Amino acid sequence: MNPIIKKENFNKNLIHLGWAGAGFGILYWFFESIRDVLLFENVSLFDRLFFPDPMSFWIRLMVIGILILFGVHAESRKKQLVDCQGRKNRPVYTPKIFLIGFGYIALYWILESVRDSYIFEKGNILHCIFNPGPMGIWMRLLSVFIIVLFTLYYQTLINERKKMEEQFKKEHNILNEHVEKLKEVDQMKSDFISVVSHEFRTPIAVMREGVSLYLDGLVGEVNDQQRELFTDIFRSINRLERMVTDLLDVSKIEAGKVKLRRGSVDMCNIVRTISKQFEPQIKEKDIQLIAELPTTELKIFADGDKVTQIFTNLISNAIRFTSKGGKIIIKVEDLDEIIQCSVSDTGVGISKQNLSKLFSKFEQFGKPEGKGDKGTGLGLAIAKGLVEKHGGTIWVESEVGIGTTFSFTLKKVPFPNILIVDDEPGIIQIIERFLSVDNYQFINAFNGKEAIERAMKENPSLIVLDMVLPEIDGYEVIRQLKENKHTHDIPILAMSAHSVDGEWLDHVDGKHGIPFLAKPIESDVLLNRVKDILSS
């Protein structure tokens, strides 16, 4: 049982039993008032109900407190007795509940005896306990009867709740078994898809290259009929490759294995590039593709390939379902903390009952316009996974016969600060020039001591560290940074023109190790290594 739900139920029952104790206490107060009217002369029931003498008032309050405490204590006891998690056929311990009730009855009896001894017997408490007199004993028995009724009432609640919890546990266990089986089947399916898709890639590449050789005329001349046949085969191979890629992508997303290799991404440039790639399909279907973009440059720190894939999947979907003469509009907007993008079409639209299932795997709705690729039903699921990986959201608005708009947001992530440590200013300038293509922010240090101070103060996203430095060398810088809790998690990329202790670098940071690049450093190698480190 969910512990939060269980706690809420416990609190509700606690309140209910507390109120029940108060209700039985009011009944007791009424009986006590009648008893006082019969025992004392010249008193009315109204006076004894609302204006009892001080001793009677406090004794009554104590007895009512006993009843309420009994309800609270009994509920606490029930929480232990009726805890059925992980236990089967646990009995309800009814005798213990009644023992609790009898304990409270004994306490009540003693309090009543103290009261009577104070009023009638001048301190003879034992006499009042064992010989309270006819009127006293009957009124006490009536009050005892109230407590017994309360105990029975409470026991009924226990039995009912026991039955409900046993039924809930049985259904909960059955549901858990089904869920576990479904998880196992889903995992087997995902593993199978991943393995099979990966194994398909090699034969697909061989087939594509073989057909390309014929189309390029490298293995002999082909006539028009043969060329048309090979062209159809080549298109089918490309479609098969896209399907395999989609299967691999969706399996990675489900397994949480997708990593973002973030860099500087020009959103406007991405849209323009993709629009050019779709020009042949746009012309073939005689539809318009319009891009509404900001007039100024719009760069964000994101995975360019993944952003391109999101747009590609949405635009492909729009082209597939837009008829001749239709229109597709791609819009990009800068909304301060997020980038909002949308792909709108004038296609067939999607019914309201299908909108909630649109981002599920292998779901396809409606009939695509024209011939060609009908899709795998994975493109939108992949787009959703990639958008969410970027910290954004994706949604759809559609009306049958009018068109559909897919919108998504990408969270703006600050460009990383990179601390470059080298005693040669020229080397620092070269590294900055290599990495500036991704709009990183740079901090410089020219010796080991300054590097530690800047790392403590600036908390950079990455430290590019030369191992040969004045005052404090790179090894000591790494050791001090890793021993400090404020800088321990900052990734470091070591570099040097000299040989280094590779084994020490591999083990100084536990299982991750410190990556190393030998000088001179090539720009592409440095850029890719930095992306890999920041993505992990």
Side-chain angles (χ1 to χ4, degrees), residues 100-344:
I100 295 170
F102 289 137
Y104 283 114
I105 288 170
L107 182 58
Y108 154 73
W109 195 280
I110 292 170
L111 287 172
E112 281 290 309
S113 299
V114 171
R115 173 179 176 269
D116 288 351
S117 69
Y118 177 79
I119 296 174
F120 302 109
E121 301 295 334
K122 298 181 180 181
N124 193 347
I125 298 176
L126 290 176
H127 180 77
C128 292
I129 290 176
F130 298 105
N131 188 18
M135 178 60 68
I137 195 167
W138 283 111
M139 296 308 297
R140 290 190 195 185
L141 286 176
L142 281 172
S143 299
V144 167
F145 180 66
I146 293 171
I147 298 178
V148 171
L149 282 178
F150 183 73
T151 306
L152 291 172
Y153 165 74
Y154 166 71
Q155 183 58 46
T156 302
L157 289 180
I158 278 191
N159 291 336
E160 289 300 320
R161 178 164 178 176
K162 176 66 177 178
K163 291 177 183 177
M164 292 176 63
E165 289 193 344
E166 285 181 347
Q167 181 65 26
F168 176 84
K169 181 191 173 185
K170 188 183 295 183
E171 294 176 357
H172 188 261
N173 289 340
I174 293 172
L175 181 63
N176 279 341
E177 289 177 4
H178 286 303
V179 169
E180 290 302 319
K181 288 180 181 178
L182 288 173
K183 285 182 179 178
E184 290 178 8
V185 172
D186 188 63
Q187 186 60 45
M188 290 173 60
K189 178 203 66 182
S190 298
D191 293 342
F192 174 77
I193 290 175
S194 179
V195 171
V196 171
S197 300
H198 190 271
E199 293 299 323
F200 275 177
R201 284 194 157 185
T202 300
I204 288 174
V206 173
M207 289 188 293
R208 184 179 58 201
E209 290 305 315
V211 173
S212 296
L213 291 175
Y214 278 99
L215 288 175
D216 293 340
L218 298 178
V219 290
E221 299 233 352
V222 294
N223 56 40
D224 292 342
Q225 186 176 4
Q226 291 172 329
R227 182 171 295 280
E228 183 178 353
L229 177 62
F230 280 126
T231 301
D232 289 340
I233 294 172
F234 192 75
R235 288 174 179 169
S236 296
I237 291 172
N238 285 338
R239 183 189 172 198
L240 181 60
E241 185 179 33
R242 287 195 299 274
M243 291 173 64
V244 169
T245 301
D246 284 350
L247 287 169
L248 280 172
D249 287 343
V250 81
S251 64
K252 287 180 180 178
I253 290 171
E254 288 181 337
K257 295 180 179 179
V258 174
K259 290 185 178 181
L260 299 182
R261 300 184 77 252
R262 292 182 183 266
S264 181
V265 176
D266 187 333
M267 295 295 293
C268 299
N269 187 53
I270 280 185
V271 172
R272 294 189 191 101
T273 302
I274 295 174
S275 298
K276 287 183 180 180
Q277 293 174 354
F278 280 103
E279 280 183 359
Q281 294 170 260
I282 295 296
K283 290 180 180 178
E284 183 181 352
K285 294 197 71 173
D286 190 22
I287 57 179
Q288 288 182 283
L289 182 61
I290 301 170
E292 298 181 1
L293 305 174
T295 55
T296 57
E297 188 179 63
L298 181 56
K299 290 186 176 182
I300 62 172
F301 188 59
D303 188 322
D305 292 337
K306 300 295 189 292
V307 173
T308 299
Q309 190 173 3
I310 295 167
F311 272 114
T312 299
N313 289 358
L314 295 180
I315 296 171
S316 298
N317 198 69
I319 293 173
R320 190 178 302 124
F321 290 94
T322 301
S323 57
K324 184 177 181 180
K327 184 188 298 184
I328 297 172
I329 300 175
I330 307 170
K331 186 181 292 185
V332 177
E333 299 175 274
D334 186 356
L335 302 180
D336 295 330
E337 295 183 357
I338 61 171
I339 302 295
Q340 182 167 314
C341 310
S342 63
V343 177
S344 305

